Amino acid sequence: HAEALLAARNFDAVIAECRALLERGESPALAAHLCGRACLALGRPGEARGYLERALKADPQLAGAHADLGEALFQGGEHEAALDRYRT
């Protein structure tokens, strides 16, 4: 359901749903990744970074989260760290 909300650009609803999933311990990698993507779309790279790092802690192989973390770092002004992340 959160993926459909993300596609519909209902970012606040995505964050609310994913936070609830995280609180229940359900799908931690996916929920944190989707929260991070929604935060990026809302221009909140610092918050996105926290969620994306949490997603990668839960599933280090989550390729999309690596790319989105690079974007969060870039938007947050950490350009060198972003480049390093893109190379991962």
Side-chain angles (χ1 to χ4, degrees):
H1 188 256
E3 290 171 317
L5 292 170
L6 189 64
R9 303 183 58 79
N10 192 344
F11 304 121
D12 289 320
V14 171
I15 292 169
E17 183 169 325
C18 290
R19 283 181 178 163
L21 288 170
L22 289 168
E23 286 176 14
R24 292 191 306 265
E26 296 177 28
S27 304
L30 177 62
H33 185 202
L34 292 176
C35 261
R37 290 184 64 196
C39 289
L40 276 175
L42 291 170
R44 300 182 339 214
E47 189 175 352
R49 179 181 179 173
Y51 283 117
L52 294 165
E53 288 173 343
R54 185 172 177 176
L56 290 168
K57 184 176 181 182
D59 182 357
Q61 302 303 313
L62 196 58
H66 283 283
D68 290 334
L69 180 54
E71 182 62 27
L73 292 165
F74 185 82
Q75 285 184 21
E78 297 180 57
H79 301 136
E80 288 299 317
L83 288 172
D84 289 341
R85 180 55 57 179
Y86 289 135
R87 292 181 189 121
T88 301

